[in-house]
Amino acid sequence: MLARPGLPSFDYVKASTSNEVTRLLEEHGEAARLLMGGTDLFVRMRDGFIRPQIVVDVKHLPGMRDILYDEQAGLRVGAASTMNEVARHLDVQAHYPLLAEAAESVASYQLRNRATVGGNLCNGSPAADTGPAALVLDGRIVLYGPDGEREVEAGEFFISPGQTAMEAGEFVKAICFPIPPAGAAGRYLKLGRNKVGDLSIVGVAVFGFPDGTAPSGYRFRIGLASVAPVPLRALEAEEVLAANPPGEETFARAAEKAMAAATPIDDVRASAAYRKAMVRNLTLRGVREVWEQMREGR
Amino acid sequence: MAEFTSNPVGKNVPRADAYDKVTGAATFVDDMQFGPGLLYGRLVRSPYAHALVKKVDVSKALAVPGVRAVVTGQDVPARIGLYLIDRPVFATDRVRVVGDPVAGVIATSEEIAEEAAQLVEVEYEELPAVFDPVEAAQPDAPLLHPDLGKYKVANFIFPEPGTNISEHFKLRKGDVESAWPRCAAIVEDTFRLPQIQHVPLEPHAAVALWEQSGQVTLWTSSQSPFAQRDLIAQSLDIPHGNLRVVSPYVGGGFGGKAGVSMEVYAVAMARAVKGHAVKLRMTREEEFIGTTVRQSLVAHTKIGCDAEGNLLAMETQYYFGGGAYNDYGVNIARAAGYSCTGPYNIPNVKGDSYCVYTNRPIGSAMRGFGMPEIHWGIEQIMDQLAEKIGMDGAEFRRRNCVKTGQTILTGMKMPAVDLVACIDKVTEAIGWEDRRGTARPCPAAGPRPSTPHKKRGQGIAIMWKAPAIPPNPGSSAIVRFNEDATVNVEIGAQEMGQGVFTVAAQMAAQALGVPYEWVRVSAPIDTRYSPYEWQTVASRTTWSTGNAVKAAAEDARQQILEIVAEHWDEDAEDLDIKDGKVISYKSEREQPLQNMVIYGLPNENFEGWKGGPIVGHGMFMPTYITNLDPETGQGVRAVVHYTVGAQAVDLEVDTETGQVEVLKIASAYDVGKAINPDLVLVQIEGGAVHGMSSAFEVLRFDEKGQPINSNLVDYRIATSADVPQEIHGDIVETPLEDGPWGARGVGEHVMVQTAPAIANGINDALGIRFSDLPLSAEKIFLALEERKPTEE
Amino acid sequence: MATHSITVTVNGGKEYLDVPSNMTLLQMLREKLALTGAKNGCAAGECGACTVLVDGEPVNSCMMLAVEADGREVTTVEGLAHEGQLSALQEAFTEHNAVQCGFCTPGMLISAHALLERNPHPTEQEIREALVGNLCRCTGYLRIIESVQAAAARGGV
């Protein structure tokens, strides 16, 4: 069925308290949907995949749009912060440049004025560009539900395509990131069909930092998008980089391990074979660049 | 910006429509206001690629509050077509593509119409489908049009009833069989391209009003209001004089709005709600697969040359995937057939061009009308042969390209063009490196790639195209004045961004003798008021409409001169109009045009008057196109003229990802005379990008024929970040004998050969030839991977 | 379906409107206010033909609900010229032949306007990236990029 010309009918509600949101979600169940940026919700409503009776706008709840940085506590990004707000925030750029880069890689400037980090993560799409960033930066997703507030580590948040650890009646309030280790560097590399602005065929987040407890003197975290049912960490690749002296040979071995961790499918955007090879090639590029940045103390 | 431009032909005057377009004032059909009584339509479309329609039950849809009517094939048992009348307005007994319309719902809002459309119940009996044109051409393929033999068809199209072949064009020149043994080198290959879509920024839209009186008005985004009137009038039995088609600015046509696609549904639906205007708009998703697309093609080609590199023979077969209805497609297959040598001088040619029904979206006119499709293979195989014989690709083309006066494949003499000049210009602009005698890839030669894992290459491709028109397509024009001597030029040619309103004004101003700024083309094009224009297609309007405009302006000029001559008692030959004033070379008297062009001139002492309202009219229709022999494709004059051109590209391939970055495109086209040189250059730029984008585009379907990327998320086109750093354009001017000031068109030509130029560049860089579109990064990367073990 | 009474400032003028929940900002502008400069090209946030400014930031108006514009300031292409005087960008587009069919032009102008407001001297790459969400099929983009550079060089928007 082709997409319909406009949105089907529904009731829009602008929520003013978190409890109001959970109450509405509990009351209406599947017939209620949360509205953040709408960049995914409206497309799916036009496509006929979902047909909510009530759409609850959560962008205006206190703190949902705040981006707060504290030298001890780290970064707290309100779930309704737009990609542009995250990308241009001076504290994000200074202390979490990988997150800024991931946010800026999404779609177009116009869409980044609407698309939100919270929305990006809680769609549960394996292609979410902020997914690998959340994984490698040790992000924690702050949820609010009928039983109050709770936190889920990014690594536990993604369950399967379209499914996250959010339970009925819960919504995302914020994503928190701890202070990164000293001397850390990171890159988010994204491959699309256009040079800029596409969904990812493959997304690779590489995060590295000096660590005396690692035999190589460095630890890396590698997050992958679009190559598995969920965004995931390439743990064996990370182990190779922690255990072996840094250099082209180690990097290449790590890239092979990252490729092995990927279980992509064939879809309209690319084949599994291409995606696997691109995981390897992009991981290699990313690790080389992050290593260079760390060496130069950037 | 000058406010007074004399003799504007050949000058870069500003566009006539720019102000309206940058302020948002320019009106497109969906912007037109029809008041609160406007009704909306939505179509019910087949979910199957091929099926019989057993039953259509509209009762549930009719019951939805706000629904005014539902129209089905039972209500409208009509077919429509231009060259081959094969398309039912609404499906009656059979659907032939996913999306084939079965019914139309009319309601008080688009939302209600859509809801109700979902409630129309159709019983289908699925039939086996066929998607590949070669398969579909086989005798045992599922038959899409069992009644092909009963369809009305133009006398130059030859369908084969009982098969899926809707056209077979034959070209036989010389004797290929005796030529092969004389060839020092022969290359044979198969080239494939999928369907792609025009992706105009403005989706198709139409508003139709069928009045109780029988007067019908259709407002639509159309390149060809008169053709739409003709086809819809015939199809729905409306007297031509009762059907009025109005078209405001077109937001991109590219051939997709050249004929009738969805407009006939709007009119058929309007008949069910007489007295109420009905708007039908295509969503972007419908635009992709429910309007028209460019045909797919499988081309088998074999060419050979002698030891000096002179082409001796070509044998080629084209299987065009025409889609469910081949109305325009048959003429594309024909045009491809009589153009199959490409712009080359080949003495022995055997060509067979087939248009074949497939259960795919309707293949139709898209910028180039078969030329991009066939040049994809031609320009690659020429490169292959050049490489085999050890010649540089540019040199091979200089030697073999068609020259003025040579006899081309249809037996016609090539009109005056300078393709060698075009080749010279692009090789110079790109910094062409001679590849004579070198195998591909050439790592040592050539410009340095920007990083070690990138490979750099250059590619060249040339092209030709003639307007693919019937023998008698007419243009006409009217020139009228206002009291202040500003001029209204009425034409039927449509502005879709190519600039025809601007160049028509330039030509009228020049021919009349008034400043450009005094002249305005009347818009919108309206069949009730605008003079007849066959179609705004085929890159023909600068030439054809231009001739009509020039004639109309000269007619007005002559009328004015005769009145003033009589008034002054002088000879009209001694008078002229310059900058809006009649002047006498003899007596040096002056008469401003103001007022006299409406009121005439009083005699002495007001004893009577001379003259009156001046109305100039002109028309142009070529009269020299002849038929082609159905067995050999030979004829005295197959086409009116050719525009030729060359493109060279400089590109890099990232061997780690397969991504291609086109660094620079150099283009040169022989346009005869650039009426507005900058408008030619912007066509060159836009065409180069469109051509480049087309190399990477593809419409995808699953095994049941369901479209899987009929949206802008997954059908990617070039964005601002993808375009080359530099697009260099050169204009060559070899005058066209019967062109206004020597001008001929270029709107399509600028994108015809970009895709094979890029493929040739990739071959230069990697030593891999890609015979099938699209040139996706994935395809290139996997081909590189596959080759790896065989490298040293 | 719920209807909402909203107040939106459009091109400097306050508008009091009743809009259904499912009406997009684009539909509101085109159907309620007859401001047809913003165009419907895809209804999916991909083509950018519907781009308008909301509180100075470009958004795809087809992907925002009208009710979400309550209390906010919206600028459309019709609001770029001041008392008949074209903006620097509008002048540049006409001078550099950056307009062909004109359908993408309003959205392009809005995106370019917002770019020059936040970055008065963008590099070519920055211009390209800022316009990635505005598709054009006619011009090939180079004249558009050139126009933005020309307007920036004149110190205008």
Side-chain angles (χ1 to χ4, degrees):
Chain A
M1 198 203 86
L2 294 175
R4 47 190 304 141
L7 296 169
S9 56
F10 57 85
D11 289 334
Y12 167 91
V13 172
K14 182 167 163 179
S16 29
T17 69
S18 300
N19 286 328
E20 187 188 347
V21 177
T22 53
R23 188 182 45 76
L24 284 166
L25 289 175
E26 283 189 307
E27 191 181 313
H28 295 276
E30 282 299 300
R33 285 282 172 159
L34 299 179
L35 171 63
M36 298 257 248
T39 56
D40 193 69
L41 179 70
F42 295 151
V43 171
R44 287 208 261 159
M45 284 170 71
R46 270 191 69 228
D47 284 343
F49 289 132
I50 46 177
R51 191 133 182 194
Q53 278 166 30
I54 175 166
V55 167
V56 184
D57 189 348
V58 296
K59 294 194 285 297
H60 307 275
L61 297 174
M64 285 291 268
R65 300 277 300 264
D66 293 340
I67 300 173
L68 302 164
Y69 175 72
D70 178 88
E71 276 170 19
Q72 256 78 56
L75 183 73
R76 183 182 168 103
V77 177
S81 305
T82 68
M83 296 295 178
N84 272 343
E85 283 166 353
V86 170
R88 65 174 166 244
H89 199 277
L90 294 175
D91 290 321
V92 176
Q93 288 180 359
H95 305 285
Y96 304 85
L98 190 159
L99 179 63
E101 191 175 6
E104 194 156 15
S105 77
V106 173
S108 67
Y109 191 86
Q110 294 99 306
L111 282 175
R112 292 198 293 279
N113 274 334
R114 295 278 297 170
T116 65
V117 179
N120 195 232
L121 291 173
C122 68
N123 271 337
S125 165
D129 291 305
T130 55
L135 290 173
V136 304
L137 295 173
D138 267 352
R140 298 182 318 278
I141 288 92
V142 179
L143 300 170
Y144 189 90
D147 301 323
E149 200 170 282
R150 68 182 181 107
E151 288 189 1
V152 177
E153 302 214 345
E156 325 261 288
F157 186 69
F158 307 104
I159 312 279
S160 68
Q163 206 199 342
T164 66
M166 267 175 27
E167 273 152 36
E170 284 188 320
F171 68 98
V172 181
K173 288 207 81 171
I175 303 93
C176 293
F177 300 90
I179 294 289
R187 281 280 342 262
Y188 181 63
L189 293 91
K190 176 173 168 176
L191 184 76
R193 289 157 297 187
N194 294 89
K195 259 205 207 154
V196 172
D198 194 6
L199 294 168
S200 64
I201 292 177
V202 170
V204 176
V206 179
F207 183 67
F209 53 94
D211 186 343
T213 72
S216 72
Y218 297 90
R219 286 201 192 275
F220 282 80
R221 297 183 199 143
I222 296 172
L224 306 176
S226 292
V227 294
V230 293
L232 78 163
R233 292 264 295 268
L235 296 169
E236 286 188 31
E238 295 175 10
E239 279 165 37
V240 166
L241 291 166
N244 295 282
E248 201 50 36
E249 202 194 304
T250 303
F251 297 163
R253 273 177 59 207
E256 292 286 331
K257 288 287 186 194
M259 181 167 79
T263 56
I265 55 167
D266 294 330
D267 73 7
V268 64
R269 279 161 221 139
S271 69
Y274 182 63
R275 285 184 149 117
K276 281 189 88 88
M278 290 306 102
V279 168
R280 181 194 61 218
N281 291 357
L282 291 189
T283 300
L284 188 49
R285 282 188 189 175
V287 170
R288 279 188 199 127
E289 285 186 45
V290 170
W291 160 245
E292 276 305 312
Q293 282 181 41
M294 285 195 289
R295 261 196 341 145
E296 293 171 25
R298 275 188 273 132
Chain B
M1 247 186 289
E3 276 167 14
F4 195 100
T5 312
S6 311
N7 298 321
V9 166
K11 297 192 179 151
N12 295 334
V13 297
R15 284 184 75 105
D17 52 350
Y19 190 97
D20 281 350
K21 288 175 176 175
V22 300
T23 54
T27 302
F28 299 82
V29 73
D30 192 40
D31 302 333
M32 298 176 79
Q33 304 293 317
F34 289 91
L38 179 65
L39 300 177
Y40 293 82
R42 291 295 297 157
L43 299 175
V44 179
R45 295 181 177 277
S46 165
Y48 297 108
H50 198 192
L52 297 175
V53 177
K54 308 298 270 184
K55 191 165 156 225
V56 182
D57 183 352
V58 305
S59 53
K60 292 206 179 84
L62 277 171
V64 174
V67 170
R68 291 280 185 264
V70 182
V71 176
T72 70
Q74 297 303 317
D75 306 309
V76 194
R79 283 201 306 271
I80 190 164
L82 172 57
Y83 300 108
L84 174 63
I85 303 187
D86 66 352
R87 176 162 67 109
V89 176
F90 287 107
T92 46
D93 61 316
R94 186 191 285 247
V95 289
R96 298 176 174 86
V97 59
V98 173
D100 213 352
V102 173
V105 177
I106 306 114
T108 52
S109 78
E110 204 174 44
E111 204 181 312
I112 293 173
E114 178 66 24
E115 292 287 347
Q118 305 292 330
L119 298 175
V120 172
E121 289 170 337
V122 186
E123 201 184 300
Y124 296 98
E125 184 186 306
E126 232 184 312
L127 296 172
V130 60
F131 306 116
D132 175 81
V134 175
E135 258 180 66
Q138 304 311 310
D140 56 346
L143 200 60
L144 273 75
H145 289 266
D147 289 338
L148 179 56
K150 299 193 188 137
Y151 297 158
K152 192 157 160 230
V153 60
N155 68 5
F156 48 84
I157 300 292
F158 306 100
E160 294 177 14
T163 74
N164 287 320
I165 294 168
S166 54
E167 157 71 346
H168 178 192
F169 182 89
K170 297 178 206 168
L171 200 297
R172 305 282 183 269
K173 183 188 180 208
D175 177 12
V176 294
E177 291 313 320
S178 71
W180 298 126
R182 293 185 278 126
C183 293
I186 294 175
V187 177
E188 196 171 350
D189 207 344
T190 301
F191 301 91
R192 290 183 181 80
L193 42 93
Q195 291 185 319
I196 63 173
Q197 216 266 339
H198 316 65
V199 196
L201 259 289
E202 181 206 23
H204 283 67
V207 179
L209 169 61
W210 194 304
E211 314 221 37
Q212 298 289 359
S213 65
Q215 294 293 315
V216 184
T217 308
L218 170 66
W219 294 266
T220 180
S221 174
S222 170
Q223 296 171 229
S224 313
F226 287 91
Q228 291 200 333
R229 181 179 72 169
D230 186 30
L231 266 57
I232 295 173
Q234 288 192 51
S235 174
L236 298 182
D237 259 324
I238 307 169
H240 281 71
N242 285 4
L243 175 55
R244 174 185 176 196
V245 180
V246 182
S247 183
Y249 288 119
V250 172
F254 310 108
K257 295 173 182 167
V260 174
S261 61
M262 48 70 77
E263 299 79 9
V264 63
Y265 309 128
V267 180
M269 287 155 79
R271 189 166 64 185
V273 286
K274 285 192 183 160
H276 299 274
V278 181
K279 178 184 281 200
L280 180 67
R281 306 191 283 197
M282 295 293 98
T283 62
R284 176 60 60 183
E285 293 79 9
E286 286 180 295
E287 178 68 33
F288 272 111
I289 53 111
T291 56
T292 62
V293 302
R294 192 175 82 178
Q295 299 185 112
S296 64
L297 174 63
V298 179
H300 307 294
T301 303
K302 178 176 170 184
I303 55 173
C305 64
D306 65 18
E308 282 74 55
N310 300 304
L311 284 164
L312 292 182
M314 170 191 270
E315 189 171 334
T316 196
Q317 298 94 43
Y318 296 144
Y319 290 85
F320 282 94
Y325 304 101
N326 289 358
D327 173 32
Y328 252 99
V330 292
N331 197 27
I332 294 165
R334 177 171 191 269
Y338 66 63
S339 311
C340 71
T341 53
Y344 293 95
N345 185 29
I346 309 180
N348 303 286
V349 185
K350 182 174 181 218
D352 290 276
S353 181
Y354 299 94
C355 191
V356 190
Y357 286 117
T358 56
N359 294 111
R360 281 275 193 255
I362 300 171
S364 185
M366 182 171 148
R367 199 175 186 181
F369 208 78
M371 295 307 104
E373 295 93 301
I374 67 174
H375 281 73
W376 167 246
I378 293 170
E379 280 310 278
Q380 288 205 67
I381 204 166
M382 290 299 171
D383 239 34
Q384 289 169 272
L385 189 58
E387 199 180 323
K388 196 160 183 185
I389 204 79
M391 273 182 86
D392 172 71
E395 205 40 54
F396 184 85
R397 287 172 173 83
R398 282 193 191 88
R399 173 181 285 264
N400 286 292
C401 72
V402 65
K403 321 264 184 333
T404 305
Q406 286 177 335
T407 304
I408 63 172
L409 74 170
T410 56
M412 179 180 145
K413 293 260 183 276
M414 186 67 188
V417 293
D418 196 348
L419 189 39
V420 174
C422 296
I423 296 170
D424 289 341
K425 291 235 184 268
V426 303
T427 50
E428 191 192 318
I430 210 81
W432 183 258
E433 316 240 339
D434 196 307
R435 294 282 189 257
R436 172 182 357 193
T438 45
R440 303 293 193 281
C442 329
R448 301 273 122 246
S450 59
T451 58
H453 59 84
K454 291 189 181 174
K455 298 269 184 257
R456 196 144 165 190
Q458 296 179 329
I460 190 169
I462 59 177
M463 64 74 63
W464 74 345
K465 180 181 188 288
I469 48 182
N472 59 346
S475 301
S476 52
I478 295 169
V479 167
R480 294 186 302 111
F481 293 85
N482 303 309
E483 289 85 335
D484 57 0
T486 57
V487 184
N488 310 308
V489 175
E490 262 99 69
I491 56 177
Q494 176 60 284
E495 176 64 68
M496 51 176 165
Q498 86 284 47
V500 68
F501 284 0
T502 303
V503 299
Q506 287 176 257
M507 291 192 267
Q510 176 109 359
L512 251 182
V514 303
Y516 164 70
E517 292 73 12
W518 289 17
V519 182
R520 184 167 48 209
V521 169
S522 304
I525 305 305
D526 182 335
T527 59
R528 177 175 287 174
Y529 302 107
S530 307
Y532 180 85
E533 180 64 54
W534 178 67
Q535 297 194 25
T536 299
V537 295
S539 309
R540 62 181 282 277
T541 57
T542 297
W543 159 68
S544 184
T545 313
N547 277 330
V549 166
K550 184 162 180 271
E554 285 169 352
D555 180 39
R557 177 181 177 278
Q558 190 59 30
Q559 290 177 44
I560 293 166
L561 292 183
E562 281 170 16
I563 291 164
V564 178
E566 210 190 318
H567 184 69
W568 286 344
D569 196 22
E570 295 193 35
D571 283 320
E573 287 98 60
D574 296 326
L575 305 192
D576 201 354
I577 305 179
K578 284 209 159 333
D579 295 335
K581 280 196 270 245
V582 181
I583 57 150
S584 166
Y585 290 119
K586 207 151 174 219
S587 65
E588 294 185 7
R589 273 188 283 195
E590 286 185 358
Q591 169 61 53
L593 290 181
Q594 281 77 10
N595 295 314
M596 73 138 294
V597 284
I598 300 287
Y599 302 118
L601 292 167
N603 293 335
E604 210 172 308
N605 293 325
F606 289 87
E607 298 283 341
W609 286 75
K610 286 187 181 49
I614 307 290
V615 179
H617 72 274
M619 109 41 208
F620 176 78
M621 193 177 89
T623 52
Y624 39 78
I625 300 176
T626 63
N627 253 338
L628 295 177
D629 184 292
E631 290 308 312
T632 62
Q634 302 297 301
V636 173
R637 182 107 180 233
V639 299
V640 289
H641 56 253
Y642 283 91
T643 296
V644 298
Q647 267 182 349
V649 303
D650 182 9
L651 55 80
E652 278 187 341
V653 182
D654 184 333
T655 58
E656 289 175 359
T657 61
Q659 289 170 306
V660 176
E661 181 171 353
V662 180
L663 302 170
K664 180 171 170 178
I665 302 177
S667 303
Y669 289 89
D670 189 345
V671 302
K673 169 76 181 175
I675 305 294
N676 186 320
D678 205 44
L679 289 189
V680 176
L681 290 177
V682 297
Q683 280 285 42
I684 283 176
E685 288 170 26
V689 170
H690 194 175
M692 181 189 83
S693 189
S694 75
F696 304 100
E697 294 173 25
V698 56
L699 272 170
R700 290 196 201 276
F701 304 86
D702 68 14
E703 48 325 311
K704 302 215 73 179
Q706 298 285 337
I708 54 181
N709 73 333
S710 62
N711 57 67
L712 288 171
V713 173
D714 284 319
Y715 186 104
R716 308 301 294 179
I717 70 170
T719 70
S720 55
D722 297 313
V723 297
Q725 286 296 314
E726 194 187 338
I727 298 173
H728 177 99
D730 276 309
I731 296 170
V732 173
E733 289 177 315
T734 311
L736 173 62
E737 205 174 20
D738 70 352
W741 293 274
R744 61 180 157 259
V746 76
E748 299 167 278
H749 309 71
V750 288
M751 77 163 284
V752 164
Q753 77 270 49
T754 324
I758 291 172
N760 288 341
I762 292 172
N763 178 250
D764 192 46
L766 304 180
I768 302 178
R769 185 154 294 283
F770 293 93
S771 319
D772 299 351
L773 282 172
L775 293 170
S776 67
E778 171 172 330
K779 186 184 285 186
I780 293 169
F781 176 81
L782 292 175
L784 281 167
E785 289 284 282
E786 209 183 287
R787 193 176 64 166
K788 266 193 186 148
T790 68
E791 283 176 359
E792 83 289 55
Chain C
M1 175 164 55
T3 310
H4 311 271
S5 294
I6 62 172
T7 307
V8 190
T9 306
V10 182
N11 295 331
K14 268 200 160 60
E15 303 285 351
Y16 305 90
L17 300 166
D18 291 321
V19 295
S21 289
N22 70 346
M23 176 172 270
T24 63
L25 176 59
L26 179 66
Q27 287 170 315
M28 185 199 96
L29 292 167
R30 290 179 61 81
E31 292 167 28
K32 293 270 188 195
L33 300 175
L35 286 169
T36 55
K39 308 294 183 201
N40 183 348
C42 73
E46 288 293 325
C47 74
C50 69
T51 309
V52 301
L53 298 179
V54 176
D55 293 336
E57 284 290 334
V59 296
N60 296 310
S61 60
C62 73
M63 295 288 278
M64 182 170 163
L65 300 177
V67 60
E68 292 185 86
D70 187 19
R72 305 179 73 176
E73 285 188 23
V74 176
T75 306
T76 71
V77 67
E78 290 92 340
L80 292 182
H82 278 291
E83 281 156 20
Q85 178 67 30
L86 296 181
S87 72
L89 275 168
Q90 287 172 310
E91 296 259 12
F93 268 56
T94 54
E95 280 163 24
H96 293 261
N97 267 331
V99 177
Q100 288 189 27
C101 85
F103 204 77
C104 78
T105 305
M108 281 287 180
L109 285 167
I110 293 286
S111 283
H113 179 102
L115 169 66
L116 292 183
E117 288 277 10
R118 68 177 181 269
N119 182 354
H121 300 288
T123 63
E124 187 189 310
Q125 187 57 27
E126 284 169 337
I127 297 172
R128 284 168 177 257
E129 286 183 8
L131 299 180
V132 145
N134 291 86
L135 298 179
C136 174
R137 199 54 153 166
C138 298
T139 67
Y141 302 101
L142 292 183
R143 296 300 178 101
I144 293 172
I145 295 166
E146 203 178 286
S147 299
V148 178
Q149 290 169 321
R154 295 222 288 264
V157 176

